[in-house]
Amino acid sequence: MSKRTFIAIIGVISFFYLINPGAGVFELIPDNFPFVGNLDETTATVLLFSVLRYFGFDFINVFKKEHNNLGK
């Protein structure tokens, strides 16, 4: 298995974990624990954004304001 395939599989797993097709039946950490309960979703989100960045979709700077230096 190539590196790109392995990274793509990680992205698919994290995506399906986030959309939660089992309606909360499968969770690594139950959400009713304060603060700790959301760590699994946070980890899946970071993994998904990392995989998307690896494949060229960089959402980290999507809201960064670009400066127009024309006329200055």
Side-chain angles (χ1 to χ4, degrees):
M1 177 181 327
S2 70
K3 180 180 178 181
R4 289 177 59 91
T5 305
F6 181 70
I7 292 173
I9 290 171
I10 290 173
V12 169
I13 290 171
S14 63
F15 174 75
F16 280 113
Y17 189 82
L18 287 172
I19 64 168
N20 206 0
V25 174
F26 173 73
E27 284 203 50
L28 296 177
I29 304 172
D31 287 340
N32 53 356
F33 293 122
F35 302 108
V36 179
N38 293 330
L39 288 178
D40 53 346
E41 286 90 359
T42 303
T43 303
T45 302
V46 169
L47 283 172
L48 182 60
F49 279 137
S50 298
V51 167
L52 289 172
R53 188 173 189 185
Y54 178 81
F55 285 109
F57 300 100
D58 189 10
F59 292 105
I60 303 299
N61 296 320
V62 72
F63 296 112
K64 186 175 182 181
K65 186 175 182 178
E66 293 186 25
H67 297 283
N68 188 357
N69 291 330
L70 297 176
K72 288 188 176 184

